Amino acid sequence: QAGLTQPPSVSKGLRQTATLTCTGNSNNVGKQGAAWLQQHQGHPPKLLSYRNNNRPSGISERLSASRSGNTASLTITGLQPEDEAEYYCSAWDRGLSAWVFGGGTKLTVL
Amino acid sequence: QVQLVQSGAELKKPGASVKVSCEPFGYTFTAYYIHWVRQAPGQGLEWMGLINPNDGGTNYAQKFQGRVTITGDTSNNTAYMELTSLRSDDTAIYYCVREGTGAFDYWGQGTLVTVSS
């Protein structure tokens, strides 16, 4: 099944800002928006944002999500070492009647 | 506190079946859909299917149609995922996940299924 497209890797310096992107189509991101997940090595994913820019309780205000057309974005400001992780986007695809994921972006904090 | 507790690691031979359980705590079992997502070693996340524990309704990814069965038992508040005709490329961590507010908000700890002769 077709998934969402994410860049494989992004590298930024400490305290800088990183913007991660997730591109889908009008049946998924463009229609339903996207959710973002963070996964540290050896741990299950954790929900960071849902319905484009809602953060679960306990998620840092340094994270914000947005959507423009068929592309969703996650912006992390003031990068910290603990932000180094794999980031996935997900969305419901109404055409496939299935959930789809991006391939993940490895964020490296230099 | 919401938790999803999964059964332990499994080692299976090719052609066998595996059944993984998922017991949620901290909320009403029938109030939220439960999904199954897997992750092969070093790979990304792959959605397998979901169950509505309230009525047992299911929806499976096309890739797994005919090989996966997701069930829910309201008598013991447990969801199950059974995968048949296992192959080596089914080796993965299998997660059960709660869907809340239209997203995957709580994840189980994962169950490693290894398929090897």
Side-chain angles (χ1 to χ4, degrees):
Chain A
Q1 295 180 169
L4 308 176
T5 300
Q6 297 183 251
S9 63
V10 169
S11 297
K12 290 288 184 180
L14 196 62
R15 294 182 294 277
Q16 289 190 329
T17 295
T19 297
L20 313 181
T21 60
C22 168
T23 301
N25 58 42
S26 59
N27 281 326
N28 44 59
V29 175
K31 178 66 177 178
Q32 310 283 353
W36 287 91
L37 302 156
Q38 177 192 60
Q39 186 178 33
H40 288 105
Q41 184 73 24
H43 294 271
K46 179 172 75 172
L47 182 65
L48 299 179
S49 76
Y50 58 97
R51 292 183 183 162
N52 292 323
N53 196 22
N54 292 281
R55 282 190 307 272
S57 63
I59 299 301
S60 171
E61 292 182 353
R62 296 187 294 108
L63 277 67
S64 64
S66 62
R67 175 173 63 101
S68 176
N70 296 332
T71 297
S73 299
L74 178 71
T75 298
I76 310 172
T77 60
L79 284 169
Q80 299 297 308
E82 60 266 28
D83 296 323
E84 186 162 295
E86 193 82 23
Y87 291 80
Y88 294 94
C89 57
S90 66
W92 170 254
D93 190 301
R94 62 175 180 169
L96 298 173
S97 292
W99 282 84
V100 289
F101 288 98
T105 295
K106 169 66 176 172
L107 175 62
T108 300
V109 180
L110 303 171
Chain B
Q1 181 182 357
V2 173
Q3 290 185 73
L4 284 74
V5 180
Q6 299 181 221
S7 48
E10 302 266 10
L11 174 60
K12 296 292 183 180
K13 295 191 182 303
S17 299
V18 68
K19 191 170 186 177
V20 181
S21 68
C22 169
E23 186 175 4
F25 295 90
Y27 72 92
T28 301
F29 178 61
T30 53
Y32 296 86
Y33 289 8
I34 287 184
H35 299 247
W36 289 87
V37 174
R38 77 177 187 179
Q39 186 170 36
Q43 302 299 308
L45 303 170
E46 183 173 34
W47 183 76
M48 300 179 69
L50 67 85
I51 186 168
N52 177 353
N54 189 51
D55 62 11
T58 55
N59 180 15
Y60 300 128
Q62 187 174 9
K63 174 178 178 176
F64 299 101
Q65 289 273 4
R67 259 201 333 136
V68 69
T69 303
I70 299 174
T71 55
D73 187 340
T74 55
S75 68
N76 63 4
N77 290 342
T78 299
Y80 302 89
M81 185 283 299
E82 183 174 26
L83 188 63
T84 61
S85 303
L86 289 169
R87 308 182 290 255
S88 58
D89 61 359
D90 290 317
T91 293
I93 297 174
Y94 290 76
Y95 294 103
C96 65
V97 194
R98 191 185 86 163
E99 180 190 340
T101 58
F104 300 131
D105 61 355
Y106 287 95
W107 293 66
Q109 83 274 20
T111 297
L112 175 62
V113 175
T114 303
V115 183
S116 174
S117 54

